[in-house]
Structure formats: C-alpha cells, structure tokens
Amino acid sequence: MPIFLGFLGVLAFSFTLPATRVAVEELDPTFVGIGREAIAAVLAGVILIAARAPLPTRPQLFRIAIVASGVAIGWPIFTAFALRGLTSAHSAVIVGVLPAATAVVAVLRAGERPSAGFWAASFAGLAAVLAFAATQGAGVSTGDVQILLAVALAAIGYAEGGALSRELGGWRVICWAVFLSAPLTVPIGAVAAATGDIHGGGDAWLGFAYVATVSALIGFFPWYAGLARGGVAKIGQIQLIQPLLTLAWSALLLGEHIGAATIVASIAVLASVVATQRARVTRSSRPPLVTSGQ
C-alpha cells in the first residue's frame, strides 16, 4: 500500500515539469511559480475548514514552515525560472538526483537509518540518471543550477513532510504548508499578475491549472501518506522513475525528442527501484532531529 501511494504521488508529479514548461512559455515565471501556490492556498483553506482540522502545535508549525520553504516556495519558483530556458526533458534528468537527496535528508531529520544495500542501490540509480544526463549533453548552466537548488529544497520538504505526516496525516501537512504560506504567496502572486505578462493561451492556462491544483496540493496527499507509512528514504526512491515518466510526457505532449538511451536508463533505474524496495531501512529509536523549542 505505501508503494502504491508513493507511485500515485510520483505519477502526479511527473506531469509537473511539462505543465510548467508550457505555462512559462507564455506566462510570467514568478506568477507561475508563486501564483500556483496562492491558488493552492485557497483550496487548502477550504479543505481545512470543511474538515475542521485542529490547529497544529507550535513545534509542528515550525516543521510545517520547513515543508513550506521547500515544496511551496523553493521548488516551484526555481523550476519556473529554470524552465524558461530548459526543456522539461533536460530538467527531468537533473531531477533524478531528488530521491538520493531525499534519502540524505531523511537520515538527518526523519530518524531513518538505511542499510548499506539501500545506499548501494540508491547510488546505482543516481549514477544511471547522471550517466543518462551526460549522454543528453546536460551542462552546467544557470537553469541547471536553479533546478539543482529546487531539488535540494524539495528534498528537505519531502523528508520533513513525510516524517511529520506520521503525526498529522499527509493531507493535513501539505494543506497547512500551502495555507500558512498564503501571507507570502498571495501578495507576490498578485503583484506578478499585475505587473507581469499573463496573457497566455489555453494551453498555458491549462498547464498553470495543473500545477496549481495537482502539483502544489492534491499530488501530495498520496505522496506524503506513502512516505509516512513506508519510510521517507525507502518510498522516496520510487521517485527515481519520475524522470522517465516525465520524459515520456515530454515526448508525447510537447514533442521533445527522446533518444534510444532512454531505454537503457529506464532498465537501470527501474532495477535500482526494485533493489531499494528490498533493502532494509530502519527507523531510529531516537526522535527525529527537530528542536521543539524553535
């Protein structure tokens, strides 16, 4: 069940880069990156009110702020700007480092201790992704740096959110994260809408609608639930297949060229996912590295 939930989240997120790419071709990237979170905040508020969700405790609020900084601020804004100059296929292979980054953060903040076999399988998958990136001519550009920053911040948000979901439930974590970000995202999104170019066509607005509803909110419901039940480090490795799914959508929806190397990368990455699911990941008996007084 945790694996299935994790896969649903990955499937939802695999459309994010193509949808963002379509949106930023005609819409202001700040509006796309932050405006999507403003829309999600409204939806999250409705859900929280309808469910009569209790307010988080002060320690939980601190951890929610960490989640928000990663998935509600860092990831969307950096990917939106990066995709002005990068294709979604190019960005997808760089995002392949996200599972390994999430596993590292899980060790530090979620109290998890993966086995040596887990790390070997994880880094084998990472090596396959990086080798694939090299065959595609992935270089270090401003866009690449922005995607890597997005990955680092998303890893923090994923690991912290997955650990906190054990206490609050996945849907509450993401709803509170985007809702409590509203004092920042709503005014920035409004200014971007007023000053930037938002005169896009139907495809651009459809892409924006997807990232504002599914990528920013609904996709996290199964994703965080899977991380909470199956472990952040282990379930997080399912995301190794996300770049391959994104490449498929990029080819089918955007017409981006996908070479024969994709087949080799697919086999290597899927083998890594299978290996990580069989490897042992234990949860430390000590509490996660979170200070309740902050």
Side-chain angles (χ1 to χ4, degrees), residues 211-261:
V211 296
T213 55
V214 179
S215 302
L217 188 64
I218 298 174
F220 281 95
F221 288 13
W223 178 239
Y224 275 156
L227 293 178
R229 297 179 187 182
V232 173
K234 189 169 186 178
I235 298 302
Q237 297 307 297
I238 298 175
Q239 202 163 32
L240 277 168
I241 66 175
Q242 182 174 322
L244 304 175
L245 290 174
T246 299
L247 287 171
W249 310 142
S250 299
L252 292 173
L253 302 178
L254 305 182
E256 295 181 1
H257 175 70
I258 306 299

XYZ file of all heavy atoms in Angstrom, residues 211-261:
374
model
N -0.526 22.652 -12.308
C 0.472 22.802 -11.248
C -0.129 23.457 -10.004
O 0.346 23.234 -8.886
C 1.701 23.599 -11.739
C 2.419 22.838 -12.848
C 1.332 24.993 -12.204
N -1.184 24.264 -10.173
C -1.800 24.938 -9.031
C -2.689 24.008 -8.214
O -2.877 24.235 -7.011
C -2.625 26.136 -9.509
N -3.220 22.983 -8.838
C -4.127 22.077 -8.124
C -3.466 20.746 -7.783
O -3.428 20.338 -6.622
C -5.397 21.824 -8.955
O -5.033 21.343 -10.250
C -6.203 23.105 -9.102
N -2.920 20.078 -8.787
C -2.353 18.746 -8.571
C -0.922 18.819 -8.038
O -0.608 18.233 -6.993
C -2.390 17.936 -9.876
C -1.777 16.545 -9.652
C -3.819 17.800 -10.380
N -0.042 19.538 -8.748
C 1.375 19.578 -8.342
C 1.569 20.233 -6.985
O 2.405 19.804 -6.188
C 2.197 20.324 -9.393
O 2.087 19.717 -10.658
N 0.833 21.298 -6.719
C 1.020 22.056 -5.488
C 0.243 21.494 -4.304
O 0.558 21.818 -3.161
C 0.621 23.520 -5.703
N -0.763 20.658 -4.552
C -1.621 20.248 -3.434
C -2.032 18.781 -3.503
O -1.565 17.965 -2.711
C -2.870 21.126 -3.400
C -3.791 20.966 -2.179
C -3.069 21.377 -0.913
C -5.068 21.794 -2.373
N -2.879 18.424 -4.446
C -3.516 17.105 -4.432
C -2.505 15.975 -4.561
O -2.646 14.921 -3.929
C -4.570 17.021 -5.553
C -5.660 18.070 -5.322
C -5.181 15.631 -5.617
C -6.676 18.174 -6.449
N -1.463 16.160 -5.364
C -0.465 15.111 -5.530
C 0.243 14.753 -4.243
O 0.735 13.624 -4.077
N 0.306 15.701 -3.306
C 0.973 15.449 -2.038
C 0.149 14.570 -1.102
O 0.697 14.018 -0.147
C 1.295 16.778 -1.336
C 2.507 17.465 -1.880
C 2.392 18.454 -2.847
C 3.773 17.128 -1.427
C 3.506 19.087 -3.355
C 4.898 17.762 -1.919
C 4.773 18.747 -2.890
N -1.146 14.455 -1.326
C -1.975 13.637 -0.446
C -1.475 12.186 -0.424
O -1.142 11.661 0.645
C -3.441 13.701 -0.876
C -4.123 15.019 -0.589
C -3.408 16.152 -0.228
C -5.499 15.133 -0.691
C -4.028 17.362 0.029
C -6.139 16.339 -0.438
C -5.399 17.458 -0.081
N -1.412 11.502 -1.581
C -0.881 10.133 -1.552
C 0.624 10.092 -1.311
O 1.128 9.141 -0.689
C -1.235 9.584 -2.940
C -1.316 10.790 -3.811
C -1.885 11.874 -2.940
N 1.353 11.110 -1.776
C 2.816 11.098 -1.650
C 3.246 11.121 -0.188
O 4.022 10.263 0.258
C 3.403 12.278 -2.408
C 4.901 12.412 -2.326
C 5.598 13.472 -1.838
C 5.881 11.469 -2.756
N 6.948 13.243 -1.930
C 7.150 12.020 -2.497
C 5.795 10.198 -3.336
C 8.337 11.352 -2.792
C 6.982 9.526 -3.632
C 8.233 10.108 -3.359
N 2.749 12.064 0.576
C 3.133 12.137 1.982
C 2.598 10.946 2.772
O 3.244 10.470 3.709
C 2.636 13.446 2.603
C 3.571 14.621 2.386
C 3.095 15.931 2.421
C 4.925 14.433 2.156
C 3.942 17.015 2.221
C 5.777 15.502 1.952
C 5.285 16.793 1.998
O 6.134 17.858 1.809
N 1.417 10.457 2.409
C 0.877 9.270 3.082
C 1.789 8.070 2.854
O 2.054 7.285 3.780
C -0.535 8.976 2.580
N 2.288 7.932 1.632
C 3.204 6.838 1.343
C 4.521 6.974 2.085
O 5.054 5.994 2.623
N 5.067 8.189 2.139
C 6.313 8.422 2.862
C 6.153 8.121 4.353
O 7.050 7.560 4.986
C 6.769 9.871 2.681
C 7.207 10.309 1.283
C 7.582 11.782 1.288
C 8.381 9.473 0.781
N 5.015 8.502 4.910
C 4.780 8.293 6.337
C 4.658 6.814 6.675
O 5.168 6.352 7.698
C 3.517 9.040 6.775
N 3.991 6.062 5.823
C 3.734 4.651 6.119
C 4.902 3.738 5.752
O 5.146 2.744 6.438
C 2.478 4.190 5.369
C 1.213 4.920 5.791
C 0.008 4.440 5.008
N -1.170 5.245 5.283
C -2.373 5.028 4.771
N -2.554 3.986 3.951
N -3.390 5.814 5.062
N 5.587 4.067 4.667
C 6.650 3.182 4.201
C 8.050 3.645 4.518
O 9.007 2.894 4.306
N 8.190 4.866 5.040
C 9.515 5.396 5.330
C 9.957 6.378 4.263
O 9.790 6.113 3.068
N 10.489 7.502 4.686
C 10.860 8.563 3.751
C 11.940 8.108 2.779
O 11.845 8.305 1.568
C 11.322 9.814 4.524
C 11.872 10.860 3.564
C 10.175 10.384 5.346
N 12.997 7.486 3.315
C 14.113 7.101 2.452
C 13.707 6.036 1.447
O 14.040 6.117 0.263
C 15.279 6.593 3.312
N 12.956 5.034 1.889
C 12.619 3.914 1.014
C 11.581 4.296 -0.035
O 11.773 4.070 -1.227
C 12.107 2.737 1.849
C 11.941 1.447 1.058
C 11.693 0.283 1.985
C 11.678 -1.027 1.222
N 11.495 -2.184 2.112
N 10.463 4.871 0.380
C 9.418 5.239 -0.573
C 9.898 6.369 -1.478
O 9.516 6.455 -2.646
C 8.127 5.651 0.163
C 7.606 4.465 0.982
C 7.055 6.095 -0.822
C 7.326 3.213 0.175
N 10.769 7.223 -0.935
C 11.298 8.316 -1.746
C 12.033 7.835 -2.985
O 12.105 8.539 -3.999
N 12.559 6.593 -2.931
C 13.288 6.072 -4.083
C 12.379 5.757 -5.268
O 12.847 5.627 -6.397
C 14.076 4.824 -3.687
C 15.154 5.075 -2.655
C 16.086 6.198 -3.053
O 16.782 6.105 -4.049
N 16.098 7.271 -2.287
N 11.085 5.627 -5.026
C 10.159 5.407 -6.136
C 10.245 6.563 -7.117
O 9.980 6.417 -8.317
C 8.718 5.245 -5.608
C 8.635 4.018 -4.705
C 7.719 5.105 -6.752
C 7.279 3.843 -4.045
N 10.669 7.722 -6.619
C 10.740 8.895 -7.476
C 11.840 8.775 -8.526
O 11.927 9.609 -9.438
C 10.945 10.152 -6.635
C 10.513 11.412 -7.351
C 10.332 12.572 -6.415
O 11.011 12.675 -5.411
N 9.409 13.450 -6.757
N 12.667 7.728 -8.428
C 13.657 7.513 -9.472
C 13.001 7.277 -10.834
O 13.623 7.512 -11.881
C 14.542 6.309 -9.115
C 15.710 6.587 -8.160
C 16.307 5.283 -7.669
C 16.766 7.453 -8.819
N 11.747 6.813 -10.837
C 11.077 6.591 -12.122
C 10.415 7.870 -12.639
O 9.970 7.907 -13.784
C 10.026 5.468 -12.029
C 8.874 5.864 -11.108
C 10.659 4.166 -11.588
C 7.751 4.847 -11.068
N 10.373 8.921 -11.820
C 9.709 10.151 -12.254
C 10.375 10.775 -13.478
O 9.675 11.210 -14.397
C 9.642 11.167 -11.119
C 8.906 12.451 -11.500
C 8.728 13.383 -10.321
O 8.477 12.951 -9.196
N 8.867 14.678 -10.567
N 11.723 10.854 -13.528
C 12.322 11.440 -14.737
C 11.928 10.696 -16.004
O 11.725 11.308 -17.055
C 13.826 11.333 -14.464
C 13.941 11.313 -12.981
C 12.749 10.547 -12.519
N 11.816 9.371 -15.920
C 11.465 8.598 -17.099
C 10.019 8.836 -17.514
O 9.719 8.925 -18.709
C 11.717 7.114 -16.826
C 13.155 6.812 -16.376
C 13.305 5.348 -16.004
C 14.139 7.173 -17.477
N 9.141 8.949 -16.524
C 7.753 9.280 -16.843
C 7.668 10.673 -17.464
O 6.952 10.894 -18.447
C 6.895 9.219 -15.579
C 6.654 7.833 -14.984
C 5.913 7.959 -13.646
C 5.856 6.964 -15.943
N 8.421 11.609 -16.884
C 8.410 12.974 -17.414
C 8.941 13.020 -18.841
O 8.430 13.762 -19.688
C 9.243 13.908 -16.516
O 8.678 13.924 -15.200
C 9.268 15.324 -17.060
N 9.977 12.227 -19.116
C 10.488 12.163 -20.482
C 9.410 11.667 -21.442
O 9.280 12.164 -22.564
C 11.706 11.233 -20.534
C 12.992 11.776 -19.908
C 14.037 10.672 -19.836
C 13.531 12.959 -20.683
N 8.638 10.683 -20.995
C 7.568 10.155 -21.842
C 6.519 11.227 -22.115
O 6.085 11.421 -23.264
C 6.922 8.944 -21.175
N 6.112 11.949 -21.061
C 5.103 13.012 -21.257
C 5.680 14.137 -22.122
O 4.959 14.746 -22.920
C 4.628 13.580 -19.919
C 4.204 12.573 -18.896
C 4.427 12.628 -17.548
C 3.456 11.364 -19.111
N 3.887 11.533 -16.918
C 3.291 10.745 -17.851
C 2.932 10.737 -20.248
C 2.606 9.540 -17.695
C 2.257 9.528 -20.095
C 2.099 8.955 -18.839
N 6.978 14.421 -21.947
C 7.601 15.481 -22.738
C 7.561 15.144 -24.219
O 7.371 16.020 -25.073
C 9.054 15.700 -22.293
O 9.111 16.098 -20.935
N 7.776 13.862 -24.523
C 7.742 13.435 -25.921
C 6.314 13.426 -26.462
O 6.054 13.906 -27.562
C 8.359 12.045 -26.050
N 5.393 12.891 -25.654
C 4.016 12.736 -26.123
C 3.268 14.063 -26.190
O 2.518 14.322 -27.134
C 3.263 11.765 -25.209
C 3.721 10.297 -25.254
C 3.009 9.489 -24.175
C 3.456 9.702 -26.625
N 3.469 14.901 -25.177
C 2.686 16.128 -25.074
C 3.367 17.339 -25.699
O 2.693 18.227 -26.217
C 2.372 16.418 -23.603
C 1.617 15.313 -22.842
C 1.414 15.711 -21.390
C 0.274 15.017 -23.513
N 4.705 17.393 -25.603
C 5.431 18.573 -26.091
C 6.226 18.308 -27.362
O 6.788 19.252 -27.931
C 6.380 19.094 -24.997
C 5.742 19.410 -23.634
C 6.800 19.950 -22.680
C 4.599 20.404 -23.795
N 6.306 17.055 -27.768
C 7.054 16.737 -28.978
C 8.551 16.816 -28.807
O 9.282 16.918 -29.805
N 9.063 16.762 -27.577
C 10.507 16.807 -27.356
C 11.127 15.465 -27.741
O 10.554 14.394 -27.504
C 10.797 17.136 -25.888
C 10.326 18.522 -25.490
C 10.630 18.871 -24.048
O 11.225 18.037 -23.337
O 10.258 19.976 -23.628
N 12.321 15.514 -28.326
C 12.973 14.304 -28.817
C 13.531 13.483 -27.658
O 14.206 14.003 -26.772
C 14.105 14.666 -29.776
C 14.897 13.479 -30.232
N 14.379 12.515 -31.081
C 16.169 13.086 -29.935
C 15.298 11.578 -31.292
N 16.390 11.911 -30.615
N 13.247 12.188 -27.681
C 13.769 11.255 -26.677
C 14.570 10.192 -27.412
O 14.027 9.459 -28.246
C 12.630 10.584 -25.877
C 11.711 11.647 -25.277
C 13.211 9.685 -24.804
C 12.384 12.587 -24.310
N 15.874 10.089 -27.102
C 16.748 9.163 -27.801
C 16.668 7.740 -27.282
O 15.985 7.430 -26.301
N 17.425 6.851 -27.936
C 17.429 5.436 -27.571
C 18.016 5.205 -26.186
O 17.726 4.187 -25.536
C 18.220 4.646 -28.616
N 18.837 6.138 -25.695
C 19.447 5.971 -24.376
C 18.408 5.911 -23.271
O 18.667 5.402 -22.182
C 20.413 7.128 -24.107
